[in-house]
Amino acid sequence: MSGESIGRVVIVGGGTAGWMAAAAAARFLDDGQRTVTLVESDAIGTVGVGEATIPPIRGFNARLGIDEGEFLRATGGTPKLGIEFVGWTDGGDRYIHPFGTHGRDIEGLNFHQLWLKLRDRDGIGGIDDYAMSAVAARAGRFAPPSPDPRSPLSGLEYAYHFDAGLYAAFLRHRAEAQGAKRVEGRIVGVDHDARGHVAAVRLEGDRRIEGDLFIDCSGFRSLLLGEAMGVAFEDWSHWLPCDRAIAVPTARTEPLLPYTRATAHGAGWQWRIPLQHRTGNGHVYASAFIGDEEAERVLCGNLDAAPTAEPRRLRFTAGRRQRMWAGNVVALGLAGGFLEPLESTSIHLIQAGISKLFGLFPDMRFTDIERDEYNRLMADQYASIRDFIILHYAATRRDDTPFWNYVRTMALPDTLARKIALFREKGRIFRYDDELFAIPSWVAVMVGQGIMPDGYDPVVDALDADKVAGALRQMRANYAAMAQQMPVVR
Ligand code: FAD
């Protein structure tokens, strides 16, 4: 049984979330009867600092029919092969969390288990040496993945760094060309219907916009889901105490590195994101452990070029709304929740929200079945990403500041504690349900942070160890040789 179709989709907010939603809605929901309206206020402005992404962004762009070259030119974009973490384990270390896979499974056995067993033998090297993306990143080189499973390039994956403001403008142009209507104005109130759903938003100047489905992309304020629908915020700052950031762009430097860098400091960490026309930098820190002025000094003392604008300060709280969809309101982006940008996951969460909303698109009855499923799926996504981010802090050995002492000894979510314990035993990792990060990502960060399992999965003893070691040495040589053939990033 189905009900009457939704005719009027209203998107509140024109940041990255709003324009991603509008571009997708204009492309997939426009059946000639449905209208898509986006309301935003230039006077309020956007956050606009999200600049690093993860590989599924390529699928999002492809589904919108976006040409990669055009997109990169429009957004100052560059390729991203992963994230280099500096100083997270004991202060003097560095490792890469690469996109894509490590090595190749042999006879159905997980590559990382084979590596765990043989890692002390001559010529085997670190696990990074088996990730095409990490080997290429270290060499400052890039080439697209190969569809040929025999090529070392088949294990490479990539995403983008881009200017989030330019991306929103690029999507706006496409959305408007496909029929989405933009309304400029500040929302000052919300009208509810008899069911408690949002019936309309009221704008300054006595204007009113009615809708059937409202997508709340209003940023941290969460105008519709939080304020109008009263959905509470679940605070995760006891696990993720960083609550402020200072962002500053600097001039572009050479060579252009095909990865994000995340450098740990005394009470947080600093990002470095290379774009075509500038480098994005920011210090994410915990205000309970460092003052704003000191945090700015740390940032400015660790830049590799001159700033091109004044530093910008931002505040946030880690966590999410208890439900992302209430009544006829679905929140995307910062209106739904925030996880610090350590693994560049916020734009992905917007995209995941859009695709799940379209996959569960309601009709005018707004049944619980679709809503509950959406809320369950999004809650799982948030929790699994949260755990992955916490892992970087919890697995540190740093004891040089009160901040690191706090995160190293804090109580962990049960889900993460179980994952770490399982890995410590025999290096086992399982990917649950709709979890975003795949096994190679968990392995890269666990090993990178210095969690080395006590043993390995005994099933790998079924294979001849000398032969496997020979295969691993060959793989390692192939990745190194392939990287040298790839073009230097420009
Ligand atoms: P906003 O950009 O805040 O947009 C809100 C919109 O709502 C604006 O258009 C505003 O005008 C409108 N609005 C609000 N109130 C009203 C009103 N009353 N009337 C009318 N309009 C209104 N993400 C990543 O994926 N990668 C990263 O590297 C990354 N780095 C980040 C670093 C920091 C320090 C922060 C804080 C975030 C980072 N993010 C990152 C997250 C990313 O910036 C956001 O997910 C993304 O920009 C989406 O923001 P948004 O559209 O939800 O909100």
Side-chain angles (χ1 to χ4, degrees), residues 13-14 16-17 41 44-47 49-52 185 187 217-218 334 341 346-347:
T16 316
S41 161
I44 294 176
T46 65
V47 163
V49 282
E51 300 188 324
I187 294 169
C217 301
S218 63
L334 303 173
S346 289
I347 290 174

Side-chain angles (χ1 to χ4, degrees), residues 248-420:
V248 70
T250 51
R252 173 184 162 145
T253 53
E254 302 294 338
L256 196 71
L257 301 178
Y259 55 87
T260 301
R261 181 175 291 142
T263 305
H265 291 316
W269 60 279
Q270 179 169 338
W271 78 74
R272 182 187 184 281
I273 299 177
L275 307 182
Q276 286 292 338
H277 51 303
R278 62 172 166 82
T279 303
N281 309 273
H283 184 187
V284 176
Y285 58 98
S287 62
F289 296 92
I290 188 173
D292 296 335
E293 306 304 320
E294 177 61 12
E296 190 168 320
R297 268 196 296 279
V298 171
L299 174 66
C300 294
N302 286 282
L303 299 174
D304 54 19
T308 54
E310 284 300 307
R312 233 181 103 203
R313 294 187 181 180
L314 299 121
R315 291 175 179 222
F316 46 80
T317 307
R320 66 167 173 84
R321 296 279 152 190
Q322 281 171 349
R323 286 166 292 143
M324 299 288 166
W325 178 347
N328 63 339
V329 174
V330 178
L332 296 174
L334 303 173
F338 183 69
L339 289 165
E340 61 176 78
L342 188 58
E343 284 284 351
S344 323
T345 41
S346 289
I347 290 174
H348 176 78
L349 280 163
I350 299 170
Q351 161 186 351
I354 292 170
S355 69
K356 288 180 199 341
L357 175 59
F358 289 4
L360 289 162
F361 203 72
D363 56 44
M364 290 299 283
R365 294 170 307 157
F366 285 98
T367 67
D368 286 342
I369 300 166
E370 286 145 352
R371 199 163 37 223
D372 290 352
E373 186 63 1
Y374 183 88
N375 284 328
R376 189 184 69 76
L377 290 168
M378 289 307 288
D380 284 354
Q381 279 263 310
Y382 262 84
S384 72
I385 295 172
R386 174 201 69 196
D387 284 4
F388 191 59
I389 295 174
I390 297 172
L391 171 66
H392 299 66
Y393 291 104
T396 190
R397 287 197 295 270
R398 287 184 67 151
D399 58 3
D400 53 320
T401 66
F403 171 80
W404 288 105
N405 284 336
Y406 173 77
V407 294
R408 197 188 66 253
T409 55
M410 67 190 171
L412 300 181
D414 293 345
T415 38
L416 176 60
R418 200 170 60 234
K419 261 204 157 94
I420 295 176

Side-chain angles (χ1 to χ4, degrees), residues 201-212:
V201 288
R202 274 182 280 114
L203 273 61
E204 271 176 343
D206 244 2
R207 288 175 294 162
R208 196 169 173 276
I209 296 174
E210 294 183 352
D212 301 321

Side-chain angles (χ1 to χ4, degrees), residues 185-245:
R186 181 191 287 261
I187 294 169
V188 290
V190 170
D191 294 333
H192 291 271
D193 67 12
R195 287 203 280 182
H197 287 190
V198 170
V201 288
R202 274 182 280 114
L203 273 61
E204 271 176 343
D206 244 2
R207 288 175 294 162
R208 196 169 173 276
I209 296 174
E210 294 183 352
D212 301 321
L213 172 69
F214 286 81
I215 305 184
D216 184 358
C217 301
S218 63
F220 287 127
R221 197 165 152 206
S222 196
L223 214 55
L224 302 188
L225 190 75
E227 287 190 14
M229 300 303 286
V231 177
F233 188 79
E234 195 174 311
D235 186 329
W236 288 340
S237 52
H238 50 297
W239 288 315
L240 294 168
C242 288
D243 59 352
R244 294 195 187 173

